[in-house]
Amino acid sequence: MFDIDALRFAADGLIPAIVQDFHTGQVLMMAYMNRESLTISLEEKRTCFWSRSRQELWRKGKTSGNTQAIVSIHADCDSDTLLVKVIPQGPACHTGEQSCFFNEMARDDAYREFSADALYSLLQRRKAEKKEGSYTTYLFEKGEDKILKKIGEECTEVVIAAKNDDKAETVYEIADLAYHTMVLMVQKGITLNDIRSELASRHVVDKKVKQERMGGEG
């Protein structure tokens, strides 16, 4: 395990810390840590930084409630920058944005960004705002029975497309199924992190079972 004494703090005693969402990979913010704040972060498993403007320790979320539970901390190859992977509770930026990096300077339109989290947020807005003419709004207005009926229909269409060995159609129908499933998740208050945590727990269980089996065979 990499030791804190091996880190190369700058002359002012600080080291940059890039904070990344563990589940989505989104870069949330960049702040600074000193030896004390890093030690606190390691002990409390919550991000604690050094505020250069206030010249004091800054426990993320102490006043806002937007804490960051630490999953892992890695040092880069030069030992002078940290990558902190977290599970955020609320937005990282003081503006209310999820990430501090929202001021776009350049984009190649040949690449289209997509994230399940962005889609989930859009579905939440459709449920809350009831945008006129939106199919998603229509589903929420019709209610749970309509949403469940659509999921049943999409499941059948996935099976038919797969049995017909039509890859493009299967991809299309799986996307439809995923969308309608996410609508149901919003309807029932199930988050993407709920699903991620469930899948992650199964992965850990599978590894343990394999290890136990290998040990038993020995």
Side-chain angles (χ1 to χ4, degrees):
M1 190 69 68
F2 198 84
D3 191 83
I4 190 172
D5 291 328
L7 292 175
R8 297 171 57 191
F9 292 89
D12 57 5
L14 301 179
I15 187 169
I18 300 167
V19 182
Q20 180 183 37
D21 189 308
F22 172 73
H23 288 303
T24 68
Q26 183 181 28
V27 176
L28 301 177
M29 58 184 291
M30 198 284 283
Y32 291 87
M33 291 182 174
N34 59 13
R35 183 178 289 269
E36 183 181 5
S37 67
L38 177 54
T39 300
I40 291 172
S41 297
L42 291 168
E43 291 175 350
E44 298 182 358
K45 297 183 179 179
R46 294 286 189 275
T47 53
C48 177
F49 306 105
W50 176 258
S51 172
R52 294 181 300 167
S53 59
R54 299 191 302 271
Q55 288 293 295
E56 63 182 15
L57 291 172
W58 165 33
R59 282 178 168 83
K60 185 76 172 85
K62 183 177 181 180
T63 56
S64 67
N66 300 326
T67 58
Q68 298 170 339
I70 296 174
V71 176
S72 66
I73 300 178
H74 291 80
D76 75 338
C77 55
D78 293 322
S79 304
D80 60 3
T81 305
L82 300 176
L83 175 62
V84 186
K85 296 186 179 182
V86 304
I87 297 176
Q89 186 65 43
C93 186
H94 72 282
T95 64
E97 293 286 342
Q98 186 66 22
S99 167
C100 292
F101 297 92
F102 59 87
N103 293 310
E104 185 172 278
M105 295 182 65
R107 173 183 294 276
D108 187 337
D109 291 333
Y111 297 93
R112 298 181 62 186
E113 276 189 314
F114 171 82
S115 76
D117 295 87
L119 174 57
Y120 187 89
S121 295
L122 175 62
L123 297 180
Q124 286 181 306
R125 291 197 298 274
R126 290 290 182 267
K127 184 179 181 182
E129 299 168 2
K130 301 291 192 300
K131 181 179 178 181
E132 187 176 351
S134 164
Y135 174 67
T136 304
T137 297
Y138 162 78
L139 289 175
F140 284 126
E141 289 179 338
K142 287 296 183 180
E144 190 170 308
D145 286 346
K146 178 65 175 179
I147 297 170
L148 292 172
K149 181 181 178 183
K150 287 300 299 181
I151 289 176
E153 292 173 358
E154 298 303 337
C155 285
T156 301
E157 290 174 5
V158 168
V159 172
I160 292 172
K163 288 295 290 182
N164 289 337
D165 202 23
D166 187 331
K167 181 178 178 180
E169 186 66 18
T170 303
V171 169
Y172 182 89
E173 298 301 344
I174 288 175
D176 271 354
L177 176 58
Y179 159 77
H180 285 92
T181 300
M182 288 179 67
V183 171
L184 177 64
M185 289 168 60
V186 172
Q187 177 73 10
K188 303 296 285 185
I190 299 170
T191 68
L192 287 169
N193 282 348
D194 290 333
I195 304 302
R196 290 181 180 118
S197 296
E198 175 62 23
L199 291 172
S201 69
R202 294 182 186 186
H203 178 65
V204 171
V205 170
D206 287 345
K207 287 199 295 186
K208 287 183 178 178
V209 169
K210 289 178 182 179
Q211 290 171 351
E212 289 172 359
R213 286 176 178 172
M214 291 177 67
E217 292 172 358

